[in-house]
Each structure stands twice: as structure tokens, then as C-alpha cells.
Amino acid sequence: MSEQQTPDAPAAGRPGPLVAAVVIAVLEALALTAYAVGIGVSAVQNPGSVAAAPVEIVLYLIFAAGLVAIARGLWGRRSVARTPFAVAQMFGLVIGWTLTQGDGDLVHRLGYAVLAVSVVGIALVMSPAVGEALDS
């Protein structure tokens, strides 16, 4: 008799690529949350300069919550989380590319880092090990 995995079970039964994809989703959610907080702080410090700050903050927080839901779905081995994770990484490719075209070395490096994480995320979620783990 085999014991069924629950979403809260330890990572021992999960392949490395699946765990890495979950970590990427959580880190991306944290980054988006930090960015939303940064927009809020900037809006408070310069009230006239960021008129759309509340809308931006809400949108980034909704996307961050979506990434948390995706991470939870992947952790729970739900195959339905695979496609949203891949789509989120494609958004990361667009964002990373846009940053590489921006001004300043720091922005360029950040763009390349976002591109790298997104490519790795896509490769992880499309790996056979993740496919087998999500189908089981």
C-alpha cells in the first residue's frame, strides 16, 4: 500500500527540477511584492510623481499572489500549474528583454538575470522529470 503525497509532504518524493521550479515561483512572487512596496514607498515620498501607483501596486500584488498559487500547485504536484508557470516565465522573458534595453549597467544586469531565471524556469517545468511528477 503506497501512501499518497499531500501538498505539505516533504520534498524527498519530489524531483529536483520540480522543487527548483517551486523555488523560482516563490522568489519571483517575493520580488514582485518587493517591487510593489517600492512603488508604494516612492509614491509616498513623491506624491505628485506617481499618479497610477495604487493601480500598479494592486496589479503587481495580484500577479505575485498568482505566482504563489502556481508554486503551491506545483508543490502539490498538480499538472494544472505547469502551463501558468510557463506563461509567467514567458512574461519574465519580455520583462528581462525590456530591461536589457534600458539605461545603465545595473538595469542591464538585472535584465540578463531575469532572462536567465525565466529560461531556467521554462527548462525546468518542461523537463521530463517534472512531467512525470505532475502526472503521478
Side-chain angles (χ1 to χ4, degrees):
M1 205 185 225
S2 70
E3 191 175 312
Q4 179 138 3
Q5 288 275 332
T6 62
D8 299 325
R14 291 171 178 80
L18 179 61
V19 174
V22 170
V23 169
I24 286 174
V26 169
L27 291 176
E28 288 171 342
L30 290 172
L32 283 172
T33 302
Y35 189 66
V37 168
I39 291 171
V41 168
S42 176
V44 168
Q45 291 176 347
N46 305 310
S49 66
V50 187
V55 174
E56 284 185 70
I57 292 167
V58 168
L59 288 175
Y60 286 119
L61 291 176
I62 288 170
F63 197 54
L67 283 165
V68 169
I70 290 167
R72 200 155 180 250
L74 288 172
W75 187 254
R77 295 181 174 207
R78 294 181 187 93
S79 61
V80 65
R82 191 177 198 185
T83 299
F85 181 81
V87 170
Q89 300 318 299
M90 288 180 206
F91 276 111
L93 292 175
V94 172
I95 292 165
W97 178 256
T98 303
L99 288 171
T100 64
Q101 307 305 306
D103 295 330
D105 287 341
L106 179 62
V107 173
H108 290 167
R109 282 186 282 233
L110 182 61
Y112 290 121
V114 170
L115 283 171
V117 168
S118 296
V119 168
V120 168
I122 290 169
L124 288 170
V125 82
M126 298 310 291
S127 72
V130 169
E132 291 171 13
L134 294 179
D135 291 336
S136 58

